[in-house]
Amino acid sequence: MGTVAALIGLADIVAGVVPRYRWSRMHTLSEVLPGTVTQLAAAGSIIVGILLLMLAHGLKRAKQRAWLAAVLVLPVGAAAQLIYQHSRLGTALTLLLFVYLLRHKKSFAALPDPRSRWKALANFILMGAASFGLGWVIVGSHADKMVGNPPVLEQIEHVVWGLFGFEGSIRYTGGVDYTVGYSLGALGLLTIATTAYLAFRPEHPAAVLTEEDEDRLRELLAKHGARDSLGHFALRRDKSVVFSPSGKAAVTYRVVSGVMLASGDPIGDVEAWPGAIEQFMILAKRHSWTPAVNGCSETGGEVWTRETGLDALELGDEAIVDVPDFTLTGRSMRNVRQMVKRIERNGYTTKVRRVGDLSAEELAVVQQAADGWRDTDTERGFSMALGRIGDPKDLDAVIATAHKAPEEGEEPGPYGDLKAMQHFVPWGPDGMSLELMRRDRSADPGMNELLIVASLQAAPELKIKQVSLNFAMFRSALERGERLGAGPVLRGWRGLLIFLSRWFQIESLYKFNEKFRPRWEPRFVVFPNSRDLPRIGFAMMQAEGFVTLSMPRPWRRRPAEPKPCEHDDEKVSASEVTRAA
């Protein structure tokens, strides 16, 4: 129905823009109708067409409000088609869609999506640009009725004035002035009306983790947090959560472009996972969202597919280092060992501490440095990023820092002797997961290797037994593709991944993780069917920060000097070496 509505909308726009067919069999009817009615019908046809195009996606997703709006505008469109364009076929198709929507009213039960005020600004810019472009087409499509030959600049001025409801300088013959005037005015009114609706409708946050929800999640993590290394990332405050009826399990998620995207395994008791998953699926169906899970474990994938009938695809592998087995000795660790020794000889030192052990001044410097060293305007990360450093509730997190005193005659940098930092979040009582890596671009290469080694060596004192490093996408394909005897398909797939690594850190993450000789744990993406994968993949890229559809903020400033710690919850989140894709 959404596609049909879009096609009818396009037909209505064409009907309003293209002048009346003088050879129409119903042309005699137009001669007895008042002229204002026919000109209004032209404008109405254009507006109904635009509205149907805007409603098409909502109809595809069975949205209640899209159904109501379509039922209201379709009769207007049919009347406009009949009065102005005299199209019996177009009128019949429009009425057929109207009757179909009335008969299947119960099928359109999906609730509205979460709302955002930014949509109002985006609507004003995009809708305004579309209205201007379409208005210019309307003005130019009646060139044979223009008085004189007005230049392009005058036509643009006429469109702008018309969108604001004023009469421009161009004159037409044959009553076309009314058609153009009504059409331009209606386009401007539609732009203002839709923008005002989006701006002033009741607010409903897109994703908010309340303090009560966070406390309940922390209780579940305290009991069952050792099961999944991604568990602590469920505490991101730009996520929402659904709990099982018993309250013993939960699924956190964010809605991105109509995809209800969960990450990692459900939180809590495995026996209660099905209840939380059921609530997740009920909510997805209620809003007509596409359910998907990014980065769940093999156990989580088995439960998701068994309980929901969804499918699963291996996405990559997570690198996990067992602290008791880690050593820098041996031929396989020679490159890392040499790099670390070289950096230490250059005067770098490291510190690995719990966040609660840092002074307020030290924590403030780390927060400001992490924000200042970020190489993108937007934070990256969703499934393996927390989005904050130094929160009073996260004092058991671990921060590793690299320092180098300024040489004689050299002025210290804006962050003193701090040259690099890494942030680890808790993973149960005896583990931690790497969440963030940032460094000064002027520091020596190898800062990340230095701090990971320092963290692994300090882990026993912190009672840490296992450390989760980065997530390597399609790791197994890269590994098998370079083996002796790999077939042409596997080699071709590996070649494509290497090519894509120019833009996405695919091969580099695999090579970086492999240096520390980790064990690899597979991670999966869960999805309804194969045709949904492109849409889910795009939503995942949006969530992780690789694709940004929000309005740019060129006025954003980077901090130049450290400020006192204020525990800003939204300062820092994602890793310089991206942890997920």
Side-chain angles (χ1 to χ4, degrees), residues 177-403:
D177 294 57
Y178 293 100
T179 302
V180 175
Y182 281 129
S183 300
L184 293 177
L187 286 172
L189 181 62
L190 180 63
T191 301
I192 296 299
T194 54
T195 301
Y197 168 74
L198 292 172
F200 297 109
R201 62 182 176 169
E203 178 63 19
H204 183 78
V208 174
L209 193 67
T210 66
E211 187 174 351
E212 180 184 356
D213 291 337
E214 184 176 342
D215 291 340
R216 293 178 65 183
L217 287 173
R218 289 184 183 274
E219 291 178 4
L220 294 177
L221 287 172
K223 297 178 182 178
H224 309 281
R227 181 174 295 278
D228 186 13
S229 63
L230 306 188
H232 200 83
F233 300 117
L235 300 176
R236 284 184 64 104
R237 288 165 185 161
D238 57 359
K239 291 183 177 181
S240 297
V241 61
V242 291
F243 289 91
S244 64
S246 65
K248 295 182 179 180
V251 175
T252 57
Y253 67 92
R254 186 196 297 171
V255 179
V256 184
S257 296
V259 176
M260 190 177 182
L261 189 63
S263 60
D265 292 343
I267 307 299
D269 188 355
V270 176
E271 298 297 327
W273 283 8
I277 291 174
E278 181 182 10
Q279 295 301 313
F280 178 89
M281 297 300 292
I282 290 175
L283 188 60
K285 183 178 180 180
R286 186 180 302 164
H287 290 271
S288 190
W289 292 327
T290 301
V293 184
N294 178 27
C296 64
S297 68
E298 188 169 2
T299 301
E302 290 175 353
V303 177
W304 273 101
T305 54
R306 183 185 70 234
E307 297 296 328
T308 63
L310 302 179
D311 202 354
L313 179 68
E314 185 174 342
L315 187 61
D317 295 270
E318 178 188 7
I320 299 176
V321 178
D322 294 313
V323 173
D325 299 333
F326 177 76
T327 177
L328 280 178
T329 61
R331 183 178 180 84
S332 62
M333 298 297 294
R334 182 178 61 181
N335 291 336
V336 176
R337 182 173 63 250
Q338 291 177 347
M339 178 178 292
V340 171
K341 293 298 182 183
R342 175 181 58 80
I343 296 174
E344 290 176 342
R345 285 195 300 269
N346 290 343
Y348 287 88
T349 59
T350 59
K351 297 178 182 179
V352 181
R353 295 164 289 176
R354 299 279 185 184
V355 171
D357 296 332
L358 274 71
S359 66
E361 292 75 14
E362 289 177 311
L363 184 57
V365 171
V366 170
Q367 289 174 321
Q368 295 297 321
D371 192 45
W373 292 335
R374 190 175 65 208
D375 58 356
T376 58
D377 290 335
T378 57
E379 291 283 9
R380 286 183 176 177
F382 168 70
S383 57
M384 301 182 77
L386 184 61
R388 59 185 183 267
I389 292 179
D391 188 271
K393 293 185 177 182
D394 297 322
L395 298 181
D396 53 347
V398 174
I399 287 183
T401 54
H403 306 264

Side-chain angles (χ1 to χ4, degrees), residues 457-469:
Q457 291 176 337
E461 298 181 6
L462 299 173
K463 299 181 180 180
I464 299 296
K465 297 180 180 179
Q466 53 186 351
V467 178
S468 169
L469 300 180

